[in-house]
Amino acid sequence: MVDESNAGPVSPAVVVDAEVKAPTAKKRSSSRPRKAPPEPAQPKMPAAKRRGYSEQERSEKLRLIETQVSEGNILKDAIKSAGISEQTYYLWKGAAKSSARKNIERTGPLSAGDEFAELVQLEEENQRLRKQLAEKLRTENAELRKRLGLD
């Protein structure tokens, strides 16, 4: 025998249970910070245009650097004053060496007559420089003797 009084309260209990057992949305853990909204795009500055130097300009800058170094300046400072990077300097210097080497190879070996003429010219220059040095030493020696009162 079925008790009808049990049938009435059964449905409200199910409804109550449905409300209590309603699935709740899980909270997401915010382990990462949210991204900032994208900034409005700003027009980019155009990249610096690459400067191409002619062979003459390159050789002039290399000569300028060499003269500054021979005057006692530091190589890095001389390169900066020429307005190029160190990498560019060494690149240009290497290219200049290889082109000079190629020019020497193009001319080929000198003939025996040319070698003899060049040798005679070098000997004449050597004699001239020796005479110049001897004269300079004589004058300095005479000045020193005068200062010391030996003459």
Side-chain angles (χ1 to χ4, degrees):
M1 315 201 216
V2 180
D3 188 9
E4 292 183 17
S5 62
N6 286 344
V10 172
S11 64
V14 172
V15 173
V16 173
D17 285 339
E19 290 176 16
V20 173
K21 292 184 180 181
T24 57
K26 291 185 179 180
K27 287 186 176 179
R28 290 187 177 183
S29 62
S30 59
S31 60
R32 289 188 285 185
R34 292 186 175 208
K35 291 183 180 179
E39 295 179 12
Q42 297 176 356
K44 291 185 178 181
M45 296 296 291
K49 188 175 181 181
R50 186 171 178 201
R51 171 78 165 100
Y53 292 95
S54 68
E55 286 296 319
Q56 183 181 3
E57 290 173 322
R58 289 180 184 185
S59 62
E60 286 174 3
K61 286 190 182 280
L62 289 175
R63 265 188 265 126
L64 172 72
I65 292 168
E66 292 302 321
T67 55
Q68 287 182 359
V69 169
S70 66
E71 291 173 356
N73 291 341
I74 299 172
L75 179 63
K76 284 187 176 185
D77 295 337
I79 292 171
K80 283 183 184 178
S81 69
I84 58 173
S85 68
E86 285 184 59
Q87 184 177 7
T88 302
Y89 167 74
Y90 288 111
L91 182 70
W92 288 359
K93 189 174 179 181
K97 277 185 180 178
S98 65
S99 67
R101 199 173 299 137
K102 286 179 183 176
N103 287 339
I104 290 172
E105 290 173 1
R106 281 186 201 144
T107 58
L110 296 174
S111 66
D114 290 341
E115 286 181 12
F116 184 72
E118 186 177 352
L119 183 62
V120 169
Q121 184 182 10
L122 287 173
E123 286 178 358
E124 289 172 357
E125 183 179 4
N126 191 10
Q127 288 298 323
R128 183 185 58 82
L129 291 172
R130 284 176 185 237
K131 287 179 183 178
Q132 189 178 13
L133 177 64
E135 183 61 35
K136 185 173 183 179
L137 288 174
R138 263 188 241 117
T139 56
E140 287 180 3
N141 193 10
E143 289 175 8
L144 182 62
R145 288 178 155 263
K146 284 182 183 179
R147 275 192 248 152
L148 295 174
L150 297 175
D151 275 342

